[in-house]
Amino acid sequence: MKKSNTNAYMALVVVSIFWGTTYLASRIGVRHTHGLMLAGIRQTIAGMLLTSFFLLKGYKFPEKVVLSRLFVIGVMMLCLSNGLITWAMQYIPSGLCAIIVATVPIWITIFSYFLVQRTKFTILLVAGMLIGLLGVGGIFYDYLASLTNPEFRLGIFLTLIACISWAIGSVLTARWALKINFLYGAGFQMLFSGIVMTIVATMMGQSFPLDGFNIELWGSLLYLIFIGSILGYSSYVFVLNNLPPSLASVYAYINPIVAVLLGWLILHEHLNWTTGISCLVTLGGVYMVNRAVNKNKQQYGTTTK
């Protein structure tokens, strides 16, 4: 096995496991500060570290048009996705949030059809979408009593908006194909989105508690910065550039399982057979969608609009 492939598989393991743990870290962090403030500070610091690294290596500052598009993508994928997800975890369990986020490939397929490529709607693709949504419906059935709580409903709504925003951001990333180092560009996305989220959170009257050392809050923040943003995203980009997309997408099936199990073991979140089976049904539907899209690309190619 080539060294690059070995490293890529190791990076895939990192993404699959550690990105799943960030739901737990976020859930712990929002016990002590608002989700938007936590996400804002996380992305600002991570963005500053990444962009500074590349600038010190001699990389030129991106052109205005590239920066403007990085800003848009950053807002869609980090402000309106990561930020809203972190906020949502003030109201809903981390495992439930992770399962809903697992439906992102379905949303990407839908938006790609209208914005990037005409995907052929095969029986496998439609069945995968329906099965994936059926699994999510099964999970909601298990939380029917909680749906009467306005805060719980807000958490679900924020998570759904986050999924749609991430999907649109992903589609725009593919459509624009910016000529910039992926990690360097990600650094600017993090920096821009972090500043926006911190400003919005401050305007909402939120603040980051600096009076006294809170080990849970600071541990959560440091973990999200270095493991979730820098290590996790760097590994994800490396995987995308060294492994087939069908294999790279494996992380999307493992993340929710890790998040659900950690939420149950450490935070004592709700988990029973209904939730477990619904989670597996959702992931099965997402797998079918990914498989259908990959088969479509191999057989028919892509038609850019």
Side-chain angles (χ1 to χ4, degrees):
M1 184 181 295
K2 294 180 180 179
K3 185 177 180 180
S4 60
N5 283 346
T6 302
N7 291 338
Y9 283 115
M10 291 175 62
L12 181 59
V13 172
V14 169
V15 175
S16 299
I17 302 299
F18 287 101
W19 262 8
T21 65
T22 58
Y23 290 92
L24 173 65
S26 296
R27 179 71 168 164
I28 292 173
V30 296
R31 289 174 171 177
H32 309 285
T33 189
H34 193 276
L36 275 185
M37 182 61 74
L38 178 65
I41 294 177
R42 164 195 177 178
Q43 300 297 358
T44 299
I45 296 176
M48 289 176 63
L49 291 174
L50 270 180
T51 52
S52 297
F53 172 78
F54 283 98
L55 288 171
L56 289 173
K57 285 188 66 176
Y59 277 66
K60 294 181 179 179
F61 210 74
E63 298 176 356
K64 288 183 180 180
V65 64
V66 175
L67 284 176
S68 64
R69 291 186 172 184
L70 288 173
F71 178 84
V72 172
I73 295 172
V75 169
M76 295 301 301
M77 298 187 70
L78 297 176
C79 288
L80 295 177
S81 184
N82 177 259
L84 294 188
I85 286 172
T86 309
W87 183 2
M89 277 189 277
Q90 293 180 220
Y91 311 120
I92 64 175
S94 58
L96 173 61
C97 185
I99 295 170
I100 297 174
V101 172
T103 63
V104 162
I106 296 176
W107 295 106
I108 290 177
T109 301
I110 294 171
F111 287 110
S112 292
Y113 179 82
F114 294 103
L115 298 176
V116 179
Q117 63 191 34
R118 291 292 188 183
T119 302
K120 184 178 177 62
F121 278 84
T122 62
I123 294 177
L124 181 63
L125 179 61
V126 174
M129 289 182 173
L130 293 176
I131 290 173
L133 295 176
L134 178 65
V136 173
I139 295 166
F140 281 135
Y141 177 80
D142 211 29
Y143 282 93
L144 281 178
S146 299
L147 287 172
T148 60
N149 183 342
E151 289 189 341
F152 186 88
R153 293 199 301 270
L154 174 60
I156 297 297
F157 175 74
L158 291 173
T159 306
L160 290 174
I161 295 298
C163 291
I164 294 172
S165 299
W166 182 274
I168 295 175
S170 298
V171 172
L172 289 177
T173 300
R175 182 169 186 172
W176 284 337
L178 301 178
K179 294 182 179 179
I180 185 174
N181 179 285
F182 286 104
L183 286 179
Y184 189 32
F188 280 105
Q189 291 173 31
M190 293 177 189
L191 181 59
F192 292 149
S193 65
I195 293 172
V196 170
M197 285 188 284
T198 304
I199 292 174
V200 171
T202 302
M203 292 174 64
M204 292 170 60
Q206 304 298 327
S207 62
F208 191 83
L210 297 173
D211 51 335
F213 180 77
N214 185 316
I215 190 168
E216 278 196 353
L217 176 58
W218 284 96
S220 166
L221 179 61
L222 292 174
Y223 189 89
L224 290 170
I225 290 170
F226 291 101
I227 304 299
S229 293
I230 296 178
L231 176 63
Y233 196 84
S234 300
S235 299
Y236 179 59
V237 170
F238 188 76
V239 168
L240 287 179
N241 284 275
N242 289 277
L243 293 178
S246 57
L247 185 56
S249 64
V250 165
Y251 85 92
Y253 312 117
I254 301 176
N255 279 180
I257 296 174
V258 172
V260 168
L261 291 178
L262 287 179
W264 174 60
L265 288 171
I266 298 177
L267 301 179
H268 307 293
E269 293 180 350
H270 178 74
L271 177 62
N272 59 19
W273 283 107
T274 304
T275 302
I277 292 174
S278 297
C279 176
L280 294 178
V281 170
T282 301
L283 297 179
V286 172
Y287 170 78
M288 292 169 66
V289 169
N290 278 336
R291 183 172 175 80
V293 171
N294 289 328
K295 286 179 65 176
N296 183 69
K297 287 179 180 179
Q298 294 172 3
Q299 293 177 9
Y300 303 100
T302 59
T303 304
T304 303
K305 292 184 67 176

